[in-house]
Amino acid sequence: MEQQSEFVTKLMSWLNQARDIAEGWLLSPAAWSQFALLALAVFGARYATRRITPLAAKLLDPGEKDSFLATARRFAARFLPLMMPLLAYGFTAAGEEVTRSLFGSGDVIALGKRVFFFLAARLFVQQVLRDPFLKLLGKYVLVPVAALYAVGLLDDISLRLEETIIALGNIRFSVMALIRGVIAGGLLFWLGSWSNRQSADYIKKQEELRPATRELAVKATEVAIFGAAFLLLMSIMGIDLTAVALLGGALGVGIGLGLQQIAANFVSGIILLIEGQTTVGDYVELDGGEKGTIVKMTARACVLETFDGKWIVVPNEHFVTTRVVNYSDQGSANRYEALFSVGYDTDINRVPEVIERAVRALDFVLVAPDGPDCELRGFGESSVDFAVEYWVNGIDDGKNKYGSVVLFAIWNALKAEGIAMPYPHRVVELKGAMPKGNV
């Protein structure tokens, strides 16, 4: 109740002060001259805006161009709605200097100047800002602050917030410091996110770098940006960085004791990115049976995409501590084989030439590092067994069914040459006389 009555008393004193000021302005010739200068500043700002805005809009219009300069011109054109209040602010600032030099006071025109600043801030939030976070911050921070500045209450409220202390044990800080830290933290980490996105896009466009090197550069840039933002925020809030060092030591002990797996995966991810032996686009198979193409590498895990479209999240530690079969980098050659058989009545000396010619005719089969090679593998119970080895680019998976096409080519080639593919035969021999049945 005492705090509430104190606030009411303070509010009433502000209202009384505002009433006294208004009465003084109505009875003062200097105040009327300031009103006249204020009206003149508004007229001049509106006239200049009508003349300058079309020319500025034409100058800043880049047309259909898409370059850095065109982007900068489009960005500058977004500030054109602020021309009128900013020109009025400048004219009233000049008028304030004149009235203070002539009459020794300029409170009326100073109020007008602050009002124009408020209008500029409001237009800035409504028409210039487009990012949702910045728009929200402007709506609930910038505009209220500009309103308090316009009515002359900003200094009093700031002082009151500075004097209001919050104590948490041995830690003491003012409400103003807390508000300043929240606002600065939001801005810094938004700027960090934007910078991280821009730098990541730039690094990923550097095709002369290995994919692993690009991923490592992206992660290092992200850590550097957000680390700098955190340290800058601590400095803005007035927190001693030695306390941060102690906190970092405590966190290090916590990580060592309770977060061993997370720390191991993080370090393993850095090792993978530095070595570059496994990177995005590789088709790998782990000891646990997981196999697929690496589509994403994060600080904690790698994401494998299987042939049927499923994503498997594999911790980075598995790539370092277990055996990993890396079939190829993206686009490299791989060797496969297709098994088939012919009958014993076939002239098997003809088979290699027929099959190699048929497989070599397929457009996806490579001639380097080696062309198709048909080999005799063995003599079975009912067939002579062959295998043809061939090289292709990529992996025989759901998108590239090399094996099926090769088997079709083998079948058609054998049929065209009149070579039969065998099936199991059984010879049944009956000994002794056949029993005679009744007819």
Side-chain angles (χ1 to χ4, degrees):
M1 292 296 294
E2 292 180 357
Q3 293 180 352
Q4 184 176 2
S5 62
E6 183 181 355
F7 175 75
V8 172
T9 303
K10 188 71 172 177
L11 180 61
M12 293 302 297
S13 67
W14 284 338
L15 293 176
N16 291 331
Q17 184 181 359
R19 184 190 62 189
D20 296 338
I21 292 173
E23 291 177 355
W25 288 352
L26 291 175
L27 301 176
S28 172
W32 283 105
S33 65
Q34 293 179 54
F35 280 119
L37 285 175
L38 190 60
L40 183 62
V42 173
F43 175 78
R46 291 177 63 86
Y47 177 78
T49 301
R50 284 197 300 267
R51 298 297 299 270
I52 296 175
T53 299
L55 298 176
K58 184 177 180 180
L59 180 64
L60 295 175
D61 184 13
E64 300 296 330
K65 296 180 181 179
D66 188 11
S67 62
F68 175 78
L69 183 58
T71 303
R73 291 167 66 181
R74 291 190 187 97
F75 180 75
R78 288 163 52 182
F79 289 85
L80 289 178
L82 303 181
M83 184 174 295
M84 189 273 173
L86 291 180
L87 285 175
Y89 180 88
F91 292 158
T92 50
E96 181 183 3
E97 293 296 327
V98 173
T99 55
R100 290 192 184 278
S101 63
L102 294 178
F103 302 104
S105 66
D107 295 337
V108 175
I109 201 167
L111 174 63
K113 181 182 69 174
R114 296 196 298 267
V115 170
F116 288 128
F117 178 80
F118 167 74
L119 294 177
R122 192 165 176 268
L123 286 174
F124 177 73
V125 173
Q126 291 178 344
Q127 300 188 28
V128 177
L129 294 181
R130 296 180 182 177
D131 184 84
F133 173 76
L134 292 181
K135 208 172 186 67
L136 183 68
L137 196 64
K139 181 178 180 180
Y140 292 103
V141 177
L142 179 60
V143 173
V145 168
L148 293 175
Y149 171 71
V151 298
L153 299 179
L154 183 61
D155 292 338
D156 292 337
I157 293 179
S158 299
L159 181 61
R160 184 61 181 269
L161 293 176
E162 287 285 0
E163 294 174 349
T164 304
I165 302 299
I166 298 176
L168 297 176
N170 294 329
I171 302 176
R172 295 171 60 86
F173 51 89
S174 66
V175 175
M176 189 65 184
L178 179 61
I179 296 174
R180 188 164 52 240
V182 171
I183 296 173
L187 283 173
L188 284 174
F189 282 94
W190 174 87
L191 183 61
S193 300
W194 179 83
S195 302
N196 183 55
R197 290 193 300 270
Q198 298 299 317
S199 60
D201 292 341
Y202 175 77
I203 292 172
K204 289 179 180 179
K205 291 179 182 178
Q206 309 306 309
E207 297 182 356
E208 65 273 9
L209 300 177
R210 293 186 301 116
T213 305
R214 292 199 295 266
E215 291 293 331
L216 180 61
V218 169
K219 296 301 178 185
T221 304
E222 182 179 1
V223 171
I225 289 174
F226 284 103
F230 177 75
L231 294 177
L232 185 57
L233 178 60
M234 294 298 102
S235 178
I236 292 174
M237 295 185 65
I239 298 176
D240 190 0
L241 294 181
T242 57
V244 177
L246 294 175
L247 179 61
L251 287 176
V253 174
I255 290 174
L257 296 177
L259 303 176
Q260 298 181 26
Q261 292 300 319
I262 295 177
N265 287 320
F266 180 78
V267 175
S268 299
I270 294 176
I271 294 174
L272 289 175
L273 292 174
I274 292 176
E275 290 184 346
Q277 296 180 357
T278 303
T279 186
V280 175
D282 288 357
Y283 183 83
V284 298
E285 180 179 359
L286 305 182
D287 260 356
E290 302 92 345
K291 62 173 64 175
T293 303
I294 300 177
V295 295
K296 187 177 182 180
M297 298 180 71
T298 66
R300 188 190 66 84
C302 293
V303 180
L304 307 184
E305 184 178 11
T306 63
F307 294 150
D308 52 2
K310 294 183 176 66
W311 278 23
I312 304 175
V313 180
V314 182
N316 290 328
E317 185 182 10
H318 290 198
F319 286 86
V320 177
T321 60
T322 62
R323 185 179 66 93
V324 179
V325 179
N326 191 342
Y327 284 89
S328 66
D329 290 333
Q330 190 174 13
S332 62
N334 292 277
R335 190 185 70 173
Y336 293 94
E337 66 177 15
L339 305 176
F340 66 96
S341 301
V342 298
Y344 273 101
D345 57 349
T346 302
D347 181 5
I348 61 175
N349 295 296
R350 298 172 50 209
V351 172
E353 180 184 356
V354 171
I355 298 302
E356 289 176 3
R357 182 173 64 248
V359 175
R360 189 180 294 109
L362 300 175
D363 57 358
F364 55 82
V365 175
L366 304 177
V367 296
D370 194 8
D373 181 23
C374 184
E375 300 176 350
L376 177 63
R377 290 293 176 88
F379 302 98
E381 293 183 358
S382 305
S383 63
V384 181
D385 301 327
F386 285 87
V388 58
E389 297 174 346
Y390 58 95
W391 289 80
V392 296
N393 270 330
I395 306 296
D396 187 4
D397 60 10
K399 296 176 290 187
N400 304 305
K401 285 294 186 182
Y402 303 125
S404 176
V405 179
V406 170
L407 290 175
F408 270 108
I410 293 172
W411 173 273
N412 294 330
L414 293 177
K415 286 294 184 181
E417 294 293 330
I419 300 174
M421 301 187 73
Y423 54 88
H425 291 76
R426 295 290 183 269
V427 176
V428 179
E429 181 179 351
L430 298 177
K431 295 184 177 181
M434 295 289 293
K436 293 181 180 181
N438 295 327
V439 179

